[in-house]
Amino acid sequence: MVRTQTLQDLFKRYRRPGDLLVAALSLAFALFLAVNLPGQTTWVARVQLFAQPAFWPTVAVAAMVLFSALHLIGALVSERIPGRWAEVGECLKAVEYVVWFMVYVLLVPWLGYLPSTIAFTLLLTYRLGYRGMRWSLAALALAVGVVVVFKSGLQVRIPSGALYELLPTGPLRTFVMTYL
Amino acid sequence: METFLSGLAILSTWEVLVALLIGSIGGVIIGAIPGVGPAVAIAILLPATFSFEPIVGLTMLLGIYGSSMYGGSLPAILINTPGTAVNALTTYDGYPMTQRGEALRALGLAYGASFVSGALSILALILLSPLLAKIAPLFGSREIFLAALLGIVLVVLAHRGQTFAAGALAAFGIFIGTVGLEPVRYTQRFTFGLDFLSSGFDLIVVVLGLFALSQAFLLLSQPDHAPDGQRIEGNMFAAMLRVFRHKRIASAGAGTGVIMGMIPGVGEFTAQFLSYTYAQKTSRTPEAFGKGSEEGLVASESANNAVPAAAMIPLLALGIPGEALTAMMLSVFYVHNVVPGPALFRDSLDFIYALFAAMLLLNVIVVVFVGFSSNLLMRAIRIPTRFLGMAILTLSFVGVYSLRNSVSDCLIAAGFGLLGLVLKRQNLPVVPIILGMVLGGIMEVKLRSAMARVQTPLDFVDRPIAAGLALAIVLLIGFHIWGVIRERRNTSPESSHDHDRHDTQQG
C-alpha cells in the first residue's frame, strides 16, 4: 500500500483539462504504430541490426509506447481539472480555420495569388467580426503587401492562376502572370 | 586575424547588410508583437530565404533570432505580456517598475543588458572559435551520435513535470523523421501505400504547421486581446547606460547564457533561471526580486540575449541544433549544400566569423533602432490578436505552398497545426518533436556508420570525448531521477505542480 502511494506520488503532476484524453490518444496512436511495425517496415536478411531499415522506426515507436504509457499513468493518478469536453470543443473550433486555409490553398491555382489572397483576407476579416472600412483596408493592405513582397519581390514559387490565362496576350498578361 | 578580416569581407556585401538590417529590425518588431515570436517568423520566412546566398539567408534569420528578444522585453515591461516566451521572467521585475512609473528605466536596463550580453557572448565565441576548430574534428560518428542523443535527453529532461510527454513527443519526432523511403535500401517505412508519404515529412512543412499554423489557430479561436501601453518619455540611450551599474550581474548573465546556449537542448529558460537565481542569491536586496528589482531585470535579459550566438556553436561545429530555431536554420544550410560540422569549422572559419560579426552588428543596429522607436513599437502591440492570427495564416500559405506547390504539404501542415494547437493548449512542448525529427535523422546515420567500426558496445565509448558524452548522459538521467524522487519526498505534490508558471512554448 505504501509502495503504491509512493508510486502515485512519483507520477502525480499538474494536469490541464483534457489531459487524460490527450494521454490516452497518444498511447493509442503509439500502439497503432507498434501493431503496424511488421507490415510497414522491412527487416533485410544478413544485415547488421543497426543497419536494418526497420531498426530506427522500431526504436522510435517503442519509445513512444513507453513514454505515452508513463504519461497516461501520470494522468490517471493526478488530480483532474474538470472541463475535458469544453477543451475538446475549443480545439474543434480551430477546424473551421483549417477549412478556411485549405479553401484558400485550393483557390490560388485557379484565381491567382493576388485575387485569392485579397478574397481570403477580406472574407476572413469579416468572419472574425472586424467590420467597417478601416478593417477592410487593413486586410486589403495585408493581402497586397504579402503578394508584393513574396511573389513580386522575392519571386517565391507560386504558380500563376488559371484565371490569368483569360487575359489578352501582351505585356499586361506577362506582368500579371509573373508578379501577381 | 587574417581569417577574421576575410570573414568581415564576406559580410560587407550590400545584400548581406540589407538582409541583416531587415532581419534585425523585423526581429524587434516581431518580438514586440505578443503571439508571433521568432519561431513563427523564421518558419514563414525559411522558404523565401532558399533563393538567397547561404550567408544572406542566414544573416536575415539570425537577425530575427538575435533581435526578437529585444522586442519581446517591450510588452513584457509595459503591459505584463512577454512578446516572446523567453521574456516571461522579464515581466517579474519589469512590469512592477512600469507600475511605479519607471518604464523608461526598465526598458533602458533591458535593452542595455541585452546589448552588453549579446556583445560579450559574440566576443567570447570569436575568441573561442580557433579552439573549437581544433576540437570539432575530434568528433567522429560515435561522438556526434552521442552528442545528438545528449541533446534529446536534455530537451526531454528540461521539461520538468512533463518529462514523459516530452519523451513521447521526441520519440514521435524521431518516428516522423523515419517515414518515407529508407535512404540506403530504399524500402518503404510507414507510408501506408500513400504516394505523398514516400518522400517523407518535410521539416519545413512540419515546422510551419507546429509553430506558425498552430499559433494562427490558437489566436483565431481565442477572444481578441489588444492591450494599451503607456507612452515612453525621456532619453532611452541614457537609460541604457544604467546597465553599467550592474556590470557583475550583466556579465554573469552573459556567461551563463553562453554556457547554457552551447549545450544542446537547454537554451534560454535554464540560462535565465540560473542567472536570476545567482543574482538573487548574491544581491544585497534579494527581497526586491519579483517586485521591480533592477538586478533581476538585468539578470534575466542578459542571460536570454547571450543564448542565440552560443546556440550556433553546436550547430556550426557539430551540425547539431540545440533548439527549434537552430534546427530551422540547419535546413537553410542543407538546402545550400553547406554541411555544418567539423569540416565547416576547419575549412570555412571565415564564413563562421562572418556569421559572428553579423551577430555583433545586429546588436548595434537593434540598439540604435530601439533607442528611437519604442513608442512606434507600441503600435505593433495594439494589433488585435485575431487579426494577427489571420495575418499569420495568410503568411503561412506562402511558406508551405512555395516549397513544392503541393496541396498535400498544406494539408500535412494544417494537420501539424492542429496537433500544435492541442499541445499548446495542454502546455505540452512542441520543441521535442522538431529536435527529435532533426536529431533522429542524424543519429540513425551516425549510429550506422559508427557501428560498422566497433565490435562490442564498450568499443563505442573507448575514446575520451565519446566516454565523456556517454557518462554525461548516464549521470544526467541518474541525477534527474534522483532529483525527482527527492523533490516528491520533500514537497507535497500540490505545491510543486504549477508548471503554468513557466510556459514551455517557444514562440
Side-chain angles (χ1 to χ4, degrees):
Chain A
M1 187 63 191
V2 174
R3 273 188 187 169
T4 311
Q5 278 180 349
T6 309
L7 189 74
Q8 280 192 345
D9 281 346
L10 274 177
F11 279 82
K12 266 187 183 177
R13 59 184 164 79
Y14 175 79
R15 282 175 60 186
R16 285 262 174 115
D19 176 84
L20 183 67
L21 195 64
V22 171
L25 286 174
S26 167
L27 180 61
F29 179 64
L31 288 172
F32 166 77
L33 294 178
V35 168
N36 279 286
L37 261 170
Q40 293 297 325
T41 54
T42 312
W43 291 92
V44 181
R46 291 184 297 281
V47 169
Q48 225 187 352
L49 174 72
F50 301 100
Q52 287 287 351
F55 175 70
W56 211 238
T58 307
V59 170
V61 171
M64 275 175 78
V65 172
L66 174 71
F67 282 113
S68 299
L70 292 170
H71 184 60
L72 182 62
I73 292 171
L76 287 168
V77 300
S78 304
E79 192 182 339
R80 187 195 156 194
I81 299 176
R84 179 185 304 156
W85 296 112
E87 181 62 25
V88 172
E90 287 296 316
C91 289
L92 286 177
K93 264 192 209 172
V95 175
E96 180 200 337
Y97 301 105
V98 175
V99 175
W100 275 91
F101 180 70
M102 289 313 298
V103 169
Y104 175 42
V105 169
L106 294 170
L107 276 181
V108 169
W110 294 99
L111 292 184
Y113 190 30
L114 183 66
S116 310
T117 308
I118 290 174
F120 177 71
T121 54
L122 283 175
L123 290 172
L124 190 51
T125 301
Y126 192 79
R127 157 68 188 90
L128 292 171
Y130 301 108
R131 305 285 152 82
M133 190 56 84
R134 185 180 158 221
W135 288 113
S136 299
L137 284 174
L140 188 69
L142 173 76
V144 174
V146 167
V147 174
V148 166
V149 169
F150 287 94
K151 180 87 199 282
S152 319
L154 297 173
Q155 293 280 299
V156 293
R157 286 188 307 167
I158 292 175
S160 60
L163 198 69
Y164 296 171
E165 307 274 349
L166 301 176
L167 287 168
T169 317
L172 177 70
R173 185 169 181 251
T174 312
F175 174 82
V176 168
M177 291 185 85
T178 312
Y179 296 107
L180 304 177
Chain B
M1 193 64 192
E2 232 174 81
T3 324
F4 185 67
L5 290 175
S6 167
L8 286 184
I10 295 174
L11 185 68
S12 58
T13 60
W14 72 267
E15 293 99 329
V16 178
L17 293 173
V18 168
L20 191 61
L21 192 70
I22 292 171
S24 309
I25 294 174
V28 177
I29 297 167
I30 284 157
I33 305 172
V36 184
V40 174
I42 290 176
I44 290 167
L45 283 173
L46 262 181
T49 59
F50 290 166
S51 57
F52 302 161
E53 285 293 310
I55 187 75
V56 177
L58 278 165
T59 44
M60 185 187 276
L61 300 181
L62 269 177
I64 292 169
Y65 182 23
S67 61
S68 59
M69 286 160 220
Y70 280 90
S73 60
L74 186 93
I77 288 166
L78 297 184
I79 57 168
N80 205 22
T81 306
T84 70
V86 293
N87 296 105
L89 206 55
T90 308
T91 60
Y92 282 31
D93 293 293
Y95 188 61
M97 287 176 80
T98 299
Q99 285 177 312
R100 289 200 305 250
E102 298 167 356
L104 176 74
R105 187 194 292 186
L107 277 177
L109 277 171
Y111 294 154
S114 296
F115 178 75
V116 167
S117 69
L120 281 178
S121 67
I122 297 153
L123 286 175
L125 295 172
I126 290 172
L127 295 174
L128 209 63
S129 290
L131 181 68
L132 284 163
K134 282 183 187 154
I135 295 172
L138 300 176
F139 277 71
S141 294
R142 66 188 83 167
E143 285 83 5
I144 291 180
F145 168 82
L146 287 165
L149 181 62
L150 177 66
I152 295 235
V153 169
L154 280 166
V155 83
V156 169
L157 299 186
H159 292 95
R160 197 131 190 179
Q162 303 157 323
T163 317
F164 298 140
L169 291 167
F172 174 63
I174 296 172
F175 165 75
I176 55 176
T178 66
V179 172
L181 287 181
E182 192 262 347
V184 177
R185 293 176 191 280
Y186 302 110
T187 63
Q188 304 262 346
R189 299 199 291 200
F190 279 100
T191 57
F192 294 99
L194 301 167
D195 285 342
F196 70 92
L197 283 181
S198 294
S199 52
F201 290 104
D202 190 285
L203 177 68
I204 312 283
V205 173
V206 176
V207 161
L208 268 155
L210 285 174
F211 286 95
L213 281 171
S214 69
Q215 192 63 19
F217 296 151
L218 188 72
L219 294 172
L220 285 164
S221 55
Q222 281 181 347
D224 243 337
H225 180 63
D228 271 332
Q230 57 173 270
R231 267 192 78 78
I232 310 295
E233 308 285 351
N235 187 335
M236 184 62 77
F237 293 103
M240 285 185 209
L241 293 175
R242 267 187 91 85
V243 75
F244 292 107
R245 295 184 184 188
H246 305 284
K247 287 192 275 288
R248 181 180 58 85
I249 304 286
S251 45
T256 315
V258 169
I259 294 166
M260 292 300 121
M262 282 167 67
I263 303 172
V266 178
E268 288 95 348
F269 290 104
T270 315
Q272 273 181 307
F273 178 74
L274 291 176
S275 167
Y276 196 82
T277 309
Y278 165 77
Q280 191 171 22
K281 281 191 173 164
T282 57
S283 172
R284 285 181 192 162
T285 53
E287 70 285 352
F289 278 66
K291 296 171 193 157
S293 160
E294 288 194 5
E295 290 173 308
L297 186 59
V298 170
S300 62
E301 278 298 312
S302 57
N304 69 24
N305 216 48
V307 171
M312 294 301 286
I313 288 297
L315 178 75
L316 294 169
L318 306 174
I320 294 174
E323 35 70 79
L325 296 174
T326 40
M328 294 181 203
M329 285 183 206
L330 185 64
S331 56
V332 181
F333 280 101
Y334 284 161
V335 163
H336 291 285
N337 283 328
V338 178
V339 182
L344 186 70
F345 245 77
R346 190 185 56 226
D347 305 331
S348 312
L349 201 56
D350 53 347
F351 179 83
I352 287 166
Y353 278 140
L355 285 181
F356 288 162
M359 285 191 270
L360 201 57
L361 190 57
L362 88 83
N363 277 281
V364 177
I365 294 170
V366 169
V367 95
V368 172
F369 178 67
V370 293
F372 291 111
S373 66
S374 288
N375 285 317
L376 200 67
L377 286 169
M378 282 306 297
R379 292 185 180 201
I381 296 176
R382 291 196 200 112
I383 300 172
T385 45
R386 276 153 68 84
F387 191 84
L388 204 59
M390 186 268 287
I392 295 173
L393 206 60
T394 311
L395 288 163
S396 298
F397 166 80
V398 196
V400 191
Y401 197 70
S402 64
L403 274 176
R404 294 186 284 213
N405 295 161
S406 158
V407 176
S408 310
D409 279 350
C410 295
L411 200 58
I412 291 168
F416 276 101
L418 281 179
L419 172 67
L421 171 77
V422 172
L423 296 176
K424 282 176 178 175
R425 289 193 65 90
Q426 290 291 315
N427 201 27
L428 293 172
V430 172
V431 175
I433 302 179
I434 301 300
L435 280 190
M437 196 174 171
V438 175
L439 296 180
I442 293 170
M443 285 162 72
E444 182 177 16
V445 173
K446 295 297 173 187
L447 180 68
R448 196 174 276 187
S449 57
M451 289 310 289
R453 293 187 213 106
V454 298
Q455 301 297 321
T456 68
L458 272 180
D459 291 349
F460 202 82
V461 290
D462 66 355
R463 295 201 298 230
I465 294 176
L469 288 166
L471 188 67
I473 292 167
V474 172
L475 287 177
L476 270 168
I477 295 171
F479 279 128
H480 179 82
I481 294 170
W482 183 58
V484 169
I485 292 172
R486 206 178 55 162
E487 185 183 282
R488 297 291 160 99
R489 272 191 196 147
N490 295 340
T491 57
S492 64
E494 288 74 19
S495 65
S496 61
H497 285 157
D498 190 4
H499 297 291
D500 278 2
R501 286 174 62 195
H502 40 86
D503 197 333
T504 56
Q505 303 306 329
Q506 195 160 11

